[in-house]
Amino acid sequence: LVARFANLMVVRTFSKSRSLAGLRVGYAIGHRDQIDALTRVLEESFAAPHRVLVFATTQDKDLRGMLRLLLPRFESVLFTRYLNNPRAVPPAQLEAVAAELTGRHYTVYDEPWAAWNAVRPTVSPNSLICVTGSFFIAAEMRELVHAQPLAG
């Protein structure tokens, strides 16, 4: 649906549905304008001392625009790719664009499970984990969160 309707954003949380009530884990799917709305919602409604972004996207998305909005709002950023669609932007390319925008270097994982395994030990119950960039990464990460929940 997101591909058909530019004004649609899907936002889901894993926190209550997976007995993670003390943790803030969710994903958002949308275009750059919806990412802008997401960042406003995060600022207004999800105060967290530590925010982690797990990001992967499709070649036809506004990568620079999304990263300009997202990167300043997260203390930790991990780039990965989804495996179920050939249009995924390689994680090294995501990192190169992000480094160009911010002057910082970021961690890259070639597979979503590796990114999830890297996130899990770094977060506390007060952390916020946001998975965004494409519905493909949200779907794949959703399976990982269900299979390997955070210790809470």
Side-chain angles (χ1 to χ4, degrees):
L1 289 177
V2 173
R4 287 188 6 205
F5 301 101
N7 62 345
L8 176 67
M9 178 164 63
V10 177
V11 179
R12 296 274 191 247
T13 179
F14 299 120
S15 300
K16 291 184 179 83
S17 67
R18 297 293 163 218
S19 301
L20 302 171
L23 301 169
R24 296 170 182 97
V25 182
Y27 63 89
I29 305 163
H31 299 283
R32 189 181 57 79
D33 291 341
Q34 283 76 40
I35 296 295
D36 185 35
L38 168 67
T39 60
R40 286 193 308 271
V41 168
L42 289 175
E43 295 295 326
E44 294 170 6
S45 302
F46 293 96
H50 180 236
R51 293 178 179 199
V52 179
L53 174 66
V54 179
F55 187 88
T57 197
T58 307
Q59 294 171 6
D60 60 350
K61 299 262 180 133
D62 179 6
L63 171 59
R64 287 181 183 282
M66 290 191 293
L67 291 178
R68 268 192 209 99
L69 294 168
L70 290 166
L71 293 174
R73 291 168 171 84
F74 292 88
E75 290 75 33
S76 300
V77 177
L78 294 82
F79 292 110
T80 190
R81 77 171 92 219
Y82 39 85
L83 305 176
N84 295 323
N85 187 300
R87 298 179 320 166
V89 177
Q93 183 179 341
L94 297 172
E95 195 279 336
V97 171
E100 181 182 313
L101 291 171
T102 66
R104 292 179 47 203
H105 288 281
Y106 299 90
T107 308
V108 171
Y109 294 94
D110 285 327
E111 297 182 340
W113 64 264
W116 182 243
N117 285 339
V119 166
R120 292 173 69 227
T122 68
V123 296
S124 72
N126 294 323
S127 298
L128 171 89
I129 303 169
C130 180
V131 178
T132 194
S134 171
F135 68 88
F136 293 107
I137 191 60
E140 290 184 30
M141 199 61 72
R142 181 176 187 262
E143 291 177 17
L144 294 169
V145 170
H146 289 206
Q148 298 177 330
L150 296 167

